């Protein structure tokens, strides 16, 4: 097992090295300018996300699709992952993470647009879409579509179920003293009660949980920043300075210069918001929307909330706390985050525990739909019930075992998902640009799309 784990660790480090980072960030920047900076319409996207589109085809509301996508992307990485980036890359990593989110909005927009444009109506009456359908219907690359589906299904058992369940079990044991197997059984039952109801039930639960958990976590961050009021502006200055200064950060940070800050900040931003991985458009395709651009705008707000707001807020909280306590040096991301939230008297630790529990659980729900949709594409629903049972079982399994090898395997699958998805984004960027020009820049957002998007 150690040999296998070492193999996947090496492969993961290679796949998530500079070539992948450059490819993903390069795609973000290219699409930003190719599409004439769709970030300018962010407020429109936020408005559309809470606006019903009566009569539009689809399975769930636009907000339901957005909430499900956010459920899968807002996870423990937004809390502990940002602290890890700061610990390894210094405070400058926060700015690089934030910039990745700003440019990643364009990629999430393009993914959402292609998902709706090439979605299909299944024999069961449900709507299906995502990169596999864009690859098959837009580019005629059925073989690459199948590969993407395989990678997505495998990734769902890693980053989607076992890893998140393990984080929940660990947090429950450390905070409340509940055995891992008890926590695993509880999460297993909760997961089953939701995902057995299909995408509509998943979307309904995520619509209730995601705004609440995000607001709760946001308020906790605000409380910490108020407590660290004298260090907030110096923290922001240090973040900006360290992002472009090769000198060590000083204070309680290790620091690593521009390259280290950029590497860990960009990697954390890309991994956190999943722009370019191809996961979020799978649920975006189910949205009730009258044309692809409307849902594309709604989808793009997911990266804004996930990285531009939540990750940036977490980063400022962590850096300001370390500045407030310069005598303490932390080299562990989880320790940095725990230290920050421990500064809230009495409720700090429970608040962090609640954030990790809810973020991890909603990630389990969101990724269950991604994996099931991938299996649907390969098997045309014949393996649906088997997949759900296996996924629910993996939640319990992940709660009680060590997951080093699964972490590395999940990282590999996520990177392998990104490659075919980026191919579809780049080769179909002309289609995205034309649709954007037709509906967005020509002020025709209320126009309905042609029904050729269905089969």
């Amino acid at each position: 097992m150690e040999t296998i784990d070492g193999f996947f660790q090496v492969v993961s480090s290679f796949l998530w090295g500079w070539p992948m980072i450059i490819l993903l960030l390069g795609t973000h920047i290219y699409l930003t300018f190719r599409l004439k900076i769709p970030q300018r319409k962010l407020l429109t996207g936020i408005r559309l996300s809470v606006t019903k589109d009566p009569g539009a085809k689809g399975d769930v509301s636009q907000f339901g699709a957005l909430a499900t996508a956010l459920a899968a992307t807002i996870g423990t990485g937004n809390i502990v992952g940002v602290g890890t980036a700061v610990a390894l890359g210094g405070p400058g990593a926060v700015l690089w993470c934030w910039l990745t989110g700003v440019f990643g909005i364009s990629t999430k927009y393009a993914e959402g647009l292609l998902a709706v444009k090439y979605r299909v109506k299944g024999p069961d009456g449900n709507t299906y879409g995502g990169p596999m359908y864009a690859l098959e219907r837009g580019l005629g690359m059925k073989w690459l579509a199948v590969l993407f589906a395989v990678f997505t299904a495998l990734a769902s058992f890693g980053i989607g179920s076992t890893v998140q369940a393990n984080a929940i079990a660990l947090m429950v044991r450390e905070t409340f003293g509940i055995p891992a197997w008890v926590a695993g059984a509880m999460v297993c039952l909760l997961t089953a009660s939701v995902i057995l109801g299909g995408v509509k039930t998943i979307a309904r639960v995520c619509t209730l949980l995601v705004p609440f958990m995000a607001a709760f976590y946001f308020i906790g961050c605000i409380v910490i920043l108020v407590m660290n009021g004298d260090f907030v502006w110096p923290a922001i200055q240090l973040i900006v300075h360290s992002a472009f200064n090769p000198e060590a950060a000083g204070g309680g940070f290790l620091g690593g210069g521009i390259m280290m800050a950029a590497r860990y900040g960009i990697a954390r931003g890309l991994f956190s918001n999943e722009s370019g991985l191809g996961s979020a458009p799978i649920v975006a395709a189910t949205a009730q929307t009258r044309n692809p651009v409307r849902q594309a705008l709604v989808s793009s707000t997911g990266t804004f909330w996930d990285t531009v707001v939540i990750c940036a807020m977490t980063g400022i909280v962590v850096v300001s706390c370390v500045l407030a306590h310069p005598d303490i040096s932390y080299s562990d991301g989880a320790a940095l985050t725990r230290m920050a939230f421990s500064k809230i008297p009495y409720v700090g630790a429970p608040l962090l525990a609640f954030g990790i529990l809810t973020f991890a659980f909603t990630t389990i729900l969101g990724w269950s739909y991604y994996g099931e949709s991938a299996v649907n594409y390969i098997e045309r629903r014949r393996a649906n019930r088997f997949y759900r049972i296996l996924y629910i079982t993996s939640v319990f399994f992940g709660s009680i075992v060590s997951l080093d090898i699964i972490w590395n395997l999940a990282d590999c699958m996520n990177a392998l998902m990104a490659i075919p998805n980026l191919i579809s984004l780049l080769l179909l960027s002309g289609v995205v640009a034309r649709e954007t020009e037709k509906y967005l820049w020509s002020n025709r957002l209320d126009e309905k799309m042609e029904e050729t998007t269905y089969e």
Side-chain angles (χ1 to χ4, degrees):
M1 290 298 292
E2 289 183 3
T3 302
I4 297 174
D5 182 39
F7 170 77
F8 282 116
Q9 187 172 12
V10 171
V11 174
S12 174
S13 298
F14 171 76
L15 290 173
W16 282 106
W18 277 109
M20 176 61 77
I21 290 175
I22 292 172
L23 179 60
L24 277 165
L25 186 59
T27 301
H28 293 351
I29 296 172
Y30 168 73
L31 289 174
T32 293
F33 292 102
R34 178 75 192 271
L35 304 179
K36 301 180 181 179
I37 314 180
Q39 288 90 335
R40 292 181 288 160
K41 294 293 184 177
L42 182 63
L43 291 178
T44 301
I46 294 174
R47 176 179 60 81
L48 289 174
S49 69
V50 293
T51 302
K52 291 185 178 180
D53 202 351
K57 294 184 180 296
D59 296 337
V60 300
S61 67
Q62 290 181 308
F63 184 74
L66 173 63
T68 304
L70 282 173
T73 54
I74 299 179
T76 54
N78 297 80
I79 302 178
V80 178
V82 174
T84 301
V86 172
L88 297 175
V94 177
L95 181 62
W96 287 107
C97 179
W98 184 82
L99 288 173
T100 301
V102 170
F103 285 105
I105 289 173
S106 294
T107 299
K108 190 63 72 71
Y109 169 92
E111 289 178 316
L113 190 153
L114 292 176
V116 174
K117 181 171 180 60
Y118 293 110
R119 66 187 183 180
V120 302
K121 201 72 155 180
D124 57 355
N126 292 327
T127 306
Y128 298 97
M132 49 277 203
Y133 295 92
L135 285 163
E136 179 185 353
R137 304 184 71 215
L139 295 172
M141 295 183 175
K142 173 76 173 180
W143 64 274
L144 196 55
V146 172
L147 278 180
F148 174 85
V150 170
F151 296 146
T152 302
L154 291 175
S156 71
F157 291 107
I159 196 64
S161 62
T162 54
V163 167
Q164 304 301 327
N166 190 264
I168 292 175
L170 181 64
M171 178 58 65
V172 168
R173 187 175 71 242
E174 292 181 348
T175 307
F176 306 107
I178 298 175
W181 71 269
V182 175
M186 293 173 60
V187 176
C188 195
L189 290 174
L190 288 172
T191 301
S193 67
V194 177
I195 70 173
L196 291 177
V199 65
K200 292 182 180 179
T201 304
I202 294 172
R204 189 158 50 246
V205 172
C206 291
T207 298
L208 293 174
L209 282 179
V210 169
F212 175 73
M213 73 182 192
F216 201 67
Y217 179 74
F218 185 82
I219 291 171
C221 289
I222 292 296
V223 171
I224 296 175
L225 292 178
V226 170
M227 295 174 61
N228 293 337
D230 294 338
F231 300 94
V232 172
W233 180 243
I236 295 174
Q237 289 179 311
L238 180 60
I239 287 170
V240 175
H241 175 76
S242 301
F244 302 103
N245 193 309
E247 299 176 1
F253 299 100
L254 295 178
I258 295 176
M259 296 300 288
M260 291 291 285
R263 176 184 177 184
Y264 288 105
I266 292 173
R268 174 45 48 199
L270 295 172
F271 197 78
S272 171
N273 59 56
E274 297 183 10
S275 293
L277 262 64
S279 51
I282 295 175
V283 71
T286 67
Q288 296 166 343
T289 184
R290 66 185 68 183
N291 63 60
V293 170
R294 288 174 72 94
Q295 182 55 34
L297 288 170
V298 172
S299 294
S300 70
T301 65
T303 297
F304 170 75
W305 295 121
D306 177 272
T307 305
V308 179
V309 175
I310 294 180
C311 283
M313 182 72 72
T314 304
I316 296 173
V317 164
V318 169
V319 175
S320 66
C321 282
V322 175
L323 288 181
H325 304 276
D327 56 319
I328 302 175
S329 177
Y330 292 93
S331 58
D332 177 72
L336 275 173
T337 308
R338 285 196 298 270
M339 179 273 296
F341 278 84
S342 67
K343 300 308 171 185
I344 304 180
Y346 307 112
V347 299
L351 177 63
L352 179 61
F354 175 80
I356 291 178
L357 290 175
T358 53
F359 283 14
F361 178 64
T362 55
T363 298
I364 291 173
L365 299 183
W367 268 93
S368 72
Y369 182 71
Y370 295 162
E372 184 175 329
S373 296
V375 171
N376 281 340
Y377 179 79
I378 300 170
E379 290 293 330
R380 301 300 183 192
R381 292 187 59 81
R382 284 180 297 178
N384 242 20
R385 184 172 300 178
F386 175 74
Y387 172 81
R388 290 180 181 180
I389 294 173
L390 191 61
Y391 190 86
I392 293 168
T393 304
S394 71
V395 170
F396 181 77
F397 172 78
S399 303
I400 59 176
V401 299
S402 176
L403 295 180
D404 289 342
I405 187 171
I406 296 179
W407 261 114
N408 291 319
L409 180 60
D411 285 347
C412 292
M413 292 303 105
N414 284 141
L416 292 173
M417 283 174 62
I419 295 173
N421 181 57
L422 291 174
I423 290 174
S424 70
L425 285 171
L426 294 174
L427 294 183
L428 292 172
S429 60
V431 174
V432 178
R434 287 194 298 272
E435 294 289 310
T436 302
E437 187 66 37
K438 174 182 177 181
Y439 292 108
L440 184 59
W441 304 128
S442 298
N443 296 317
R444 297 163 65 184
L445 277 177
D446 292 332
E447 184 175 313
K448 289 190 176 182
M449 62 184 172
E450 296 86 357
E451 298 302 321
T452 53
T453 51
Y454 287 89
E455 289 183 345

